[in-house]
């Protein structure tokens, strides 16, 4: 069968171009847009990026989320803002800034943000869009409008530790059908006994390698969004606090310049699973999610309060990002190094102070007895 020759790519129909581009994932579509004018023009179609976002974040299929994305600039902008991860390469410089004060040097009013002009940020401006995958298969999608326990965002919310827990009490109930679960049918290895799992760690390995988390924060007011997660776990803890629990930590390092003395905080996203059934019980291995939470911690591992957290989250929406996971991991490791160094300095200072107090006491006692005798 004879095939008609194609003189140039421009002679192909735009429908064929569209059909080609709609089959691509996000990074490939972005690269294809740079190859020629035709691809560049067609790649601006919102329907293409809606399809990409739908495949990456199943939660974007919800009608309320579709309306939200349209209101903040569309799917193309949403993907460009949320697919790259937050990277903070300035963490290593903070320890050398002599103008910084440690939280111990601040008054309570200063630390809790009374000195900051609050810029009319409301908890209701924020939306959390969360998606969990296991071995590339979506297992959970949740959308949270506003921030829990921030009704009226009074002084209680502003001054108490900031925390978002996406799993409500109903979700944790054993009899609730909406609980997030994983089983052998999802790709988990069958576990015959917890003692064997402690030795070989097969379940732990599968979970660590297979879990992916995306936690997107959107600010409706300023129409910006960012992904606070690290996609893959940064670290975790097996068999804690009980033998049947597995804890995974995701997150990112956020800038807190002008907000906190450390000028950087860690956004910690915790995902915890508990083994519900194992093979020796006569049923398939089954796990249940018991925690999916977010909190912010400063360099001294202190929880950041609600007021400062809102300011930090707002700044995070316009920070630097990267598609390279190794850069994200590097910034988190650098943060841990600086944090450990600050802890060591604090311990040394406290040790010096203790030594000084002991010597002062000895001198005082000797002086007293010298004059007495």
């Amino acid at each position: 069968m004879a095939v008609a020759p194609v003189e140039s790519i421009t002679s192909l129909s735009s429908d064929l171009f569209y059909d080609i581009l709609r089959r691509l994932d996000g990074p490939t579509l972005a690269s294809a847009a740079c190859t020629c004018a035709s691809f560049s023009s067609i790649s601006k179609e919102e329907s293409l990026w809606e399809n990409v976002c739908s495949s990456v974040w199943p939660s974007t299929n919800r009608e309320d989320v579709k309306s939200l994305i349209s209101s903040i600039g569309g799917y193309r902008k949403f993907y460009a803002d949320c697919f790259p991860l937050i990277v903070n390469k300035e963490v290593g410089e903070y320890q050398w800034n002599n103008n910084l004060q440690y939280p111990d040097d601040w008054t309570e009013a200063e630390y809790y943000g009374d000195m900051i002009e609050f810029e009319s940020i409301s908890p209701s401006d924020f939306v959390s869009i969360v998606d969990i995958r296991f071995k590339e298969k979506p297992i959970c999608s949740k959308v949270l409008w506003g921030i829990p326990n921030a009704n009226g965002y009074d002084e209680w919310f502003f001054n108490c530790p900031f925390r978002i827990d996406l799993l409500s009490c109903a979700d944790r109930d054993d009899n609730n059908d909406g609980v997030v679960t994983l089983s052998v049918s999802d790709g988990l290895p069958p576990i015959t006994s917890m003692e064997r799992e402690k030795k070989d760690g097969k379940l732990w390995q599968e979970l660590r390698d297979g879990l992916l988390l995306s936690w997107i924060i959107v600010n409706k007011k300023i129409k910006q969004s960012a992904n606070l997660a690290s996609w893959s776990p940064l670290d975790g803890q097996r068999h804690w606090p009980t033998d049947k629990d597995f804890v995974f930590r995701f997150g990112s390092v956020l800038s807190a310049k002008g907000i906190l003395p450390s000028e950087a905080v860690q956004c910690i996203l915790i995902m915890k699973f508990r083994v519900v059934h194992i093979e020796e019980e006569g049923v398939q291995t089954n796990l249940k999610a018991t925690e999916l939470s977010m909190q912010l911690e400063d360099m001294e591992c202190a929880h950041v309060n609600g007021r400062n957290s809102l300011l930090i989250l707002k700044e995070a929406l316009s920070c630097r990002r990267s598609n390279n996971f190794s850069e994200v991991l590097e910034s988190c490791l650098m943060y841990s190094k600086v944090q450990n160094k600050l802890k060591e300095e604090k311990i040394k200072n406290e040790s010096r102070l203790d030594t000084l107090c002991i010597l002062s006491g000895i001198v005082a006692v000797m002086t007293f007895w010298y004059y007495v005798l």
Side-chain angles (χ1 to χ4, degrees), residues 19-50:
D19 190 60
I20 294 172
L21 295 179
R22 74 180 180 84
R23 302 170 188 273
L24 305 179
D25 59 16
T28 310
L29 178 58
S31 299
C34 302
T35 58
C36 67
S38 298
F39 277 6
S40 177
S41 176
I42 297 174
S43 67
K44 296 177 182 177
E45 289 287 335
E46 276 291 288
S47 57
L48 288 174
W49 292 102
E50 181 178 356

Side-chain angles (χ1 to χ4, degrees), residues 251-267:
S252 53
V253 178
L254 308 180
S255 173
K257 282 188 176 181
I259 303 172
L260 291 178
S262 64
E263 296 202 349
V265 300
Q266 194 166 32
C267 177

Side-chain angles (χ1 to χ4, degrees), residues 189-256:
I191 303 301
T192 55
S193 73
M194 292 308 300
E195 290 300 322
R196 177 174 236 174
E197 162 57 24
K198 284 183 180 180
K199 293 178 181 178
D200 59 31
K202 192 174 181 181
L203 177 60
W204 164 259
Q205 186 72 33
E206 291 287 335
L207 287 171
R208 189 182 63 183
D209 295 342
L211 283 172
L212 294 175
L213 173 65
S214 169
W215 191 312
I216 295 171
I217 286 287
V218 180
N219 188 299
K220 299 181 292 183
K221 189 172 185 180
I222 62 177
K223 299 183 178 181
Q224 290 182 318
S225 56
N227 196 339
L228 302 181
S230 50
W231 287 115
S232 298
L234 296 172
D235 56 42
Q237 203 166 358
R238 54 189 293 204
H239 309 301
W240 187 90
T242 70
D243 289 345
K244 293 187 175 183
D245 289 312
F246 298 87
V247 182
F248 299 91
R249 186 176 67 85
F250 304 76
S252 53
V253 178
L254 308 180
S255 173

Side-chain angles (χ1 to χ4, degrees), residues 142-188:
K142 288 184 176 290
V143 179
L144 180 65
W145 297 82
I147 295 176
N149 304 319
N151 297 331
Y153 53 103
D154 52 16
E155 288 302 316
W156 183 89
F157 169 76
F158 284 158
N159 296 332
C160 286
F162 174 84
R163 178 183 170 88
I164 298 177
D165 193 344
L166 281 186
L167 298 184
S168 63
C169 294
D171 289 328
R172 292 195 186 101
D173 186 11
D174 292 336
N175 299 319
N176 189 273
D177 295 331
V179 71
V180 181
T181 60
L182 281 174
S183 64
V184 173
S185 60
D186 296 312
L188 285 180

Side-chain angles (χ1 to χ4, degrees), residues 130-134 137-141 211-213 271 292:
V130 181
D131 289 279
I132 306 174
R133 290 177 177 269
F134 180 67
K137 177 186 174 182
I139 62 170
C140 174
S141 294
L211 283 172
L212 294 175
L213 173 65
M271 186 189 303
L292 182 56

Side-chain angles (χ1 to χ4, degrees), residues 121-127 145-147 150 153 220:
I121 301 176
S122 170
S124 60
D125 295 335
F126 292 91
V127 182
W145 297 82
I147 295 176
Y153 53 103
K220 299 181 292 183

